[in-house]
Amino acid sequence: TDLVVSDQGGKFGPFDGQLLVAEFTDAKINRAYLEKVDGEYQGAVFPFLQGFASGIVRLSFSKEGDLFVGMTSRGWSSLGTRAYGLQRVHWNGQTDFAMKEMKAKPDGFELVFTEPVDAASAGDVKSYAMSSYTYLYSSAYGSDEIDAQKLKITHATVSADKLHVHLRVEGLRELYVHELHAKGVKSAKG
């Protein structure tokens, strides 16, 4: 429902340059990392903040770097329990372990994390699961995921700084959504 660039010079965490994307029905905010490759934008979307009081319709940063979230149900259904509201999100200075970026590579993806990974779990291909799918593009509102396939991750290589992991993936499909789950990956702190 709304987009805002995180451009707060580190006052709202380590995600400067990324988009925050409001979501009405689920009353949450996703985070989008974008990169331009051969003149075309592509990117990855990550869950970011959830549990807001109502469907989100507006996002705005204050001069202090806090995010103000404007909400209303407007008669539509939302996971939030209130008819409307205004909430402020203030970064407490602590960054959770998370995937910060996901960059497409010819043979897979490069993952960038907010803090060092545990090399054993991040280097184990069983820590990841990936699938790809697309949608039926038409004038109708929405579509189910179609033409879904599970993909095979063949290698997971952890960088020396333990902030990057390169995944080699078999079966990449151009113009498809690629969904990654990294449930087995732990931070170096556990």
Side-chain angles (χ1 to χ4, degrees):
T1 52
D2 200 12
L3 300 168
V4 67
V5 176
S6 182
D7 59 356
Q8 301 304 301
K11 292 187 277 185
F12 196 73
F15 304 111
D16 279 344
Q18 296 189 9
L19 293 174
L20 302 182
V21 183
E23 210 290 321
F24 185 89
T25 304
D26 292 334
K28 68 180 180 182
I29 299 172
N30 290 315
R31 183 173 48 79
Y33 165 78
L34 296 176
E35 62 179 339
K36 201 172 198 179
V37 176
D38 295 330
E40 298 289 330
Y41 280 103
Q42 60 189 23
V45 177
F46 307 94
F48 188 54
L49 300 170
Q50 61 186 11
F52 288 91
S54 190
I56 302 171
V57 291
R58 291 292 177 262
L59 300 172
S60 183
F61 278 106
S62 71
K63 289 184 272 183
E64 296 76 27
D66 292 342
L67 180 66
F68 283 91
V69 180
M71 302 164 290
T72 183
S73 68
R74 296 184 59 155
W76 300 317
S77 64
S78 167
L79 289 182
T81 58
R82 302 249 174 107
Y84 54 88
L86 178 66
Q87 288 180 268
R88 182 184 81 166
V89 180
H90 175 80
W91 183 48
N92 65 5
Q94 298 176 1
T95 301
D96 290 337
F97 175 64
M99 204 177 297
K100 183 178 174 184
E101 300 171 3
M102 183 174 175
K103 301 175 184 181
K105 299 295 178 187
D107 64 346
F109 296 92
E110 180 185 355
L111 312 178
V112 180
F113 290 86
T114 56
E115 61 182 65
V117 297
D118 164 63
S121 65
D124 184 353
V125 296
K126 293 182 205 132
S127 293
Y128 307 91
M130 180 171 264
S131 62
S132 65
Y133 53 86
T134 191
Y135 295 100
L136 178 64
Y137 294 99
S138 72
S139 60
Y141 186 77
S143 163
D144 291 332
E145 295 169 1
I146 60 170
D147 197 17
Q149 276 184 13
K150 290 184 179 181
L151 304 179
K152 183 178 181 182
I153 298 170
T154 60
H155 292 86
T157 307
V158 179
S159 66
D161 66 5
K162 297 183 182 163
L163 291 172
H164 301 76
V165 177
H166 184 94
L167 299 180
R168 265 198 263 158
V169 182
E170 286 182 0
L172 296 174
R173 299 190 287 173
E174 187 176 3
L175 304 176
Y176 277 68
V177 174
H178 289 77
E179 183 173 310
L180 175 68
H181 293 266
K183 293 183 179 177
V185 177
K186 297 178 183 176
S187 73
K189 297 176 188 172

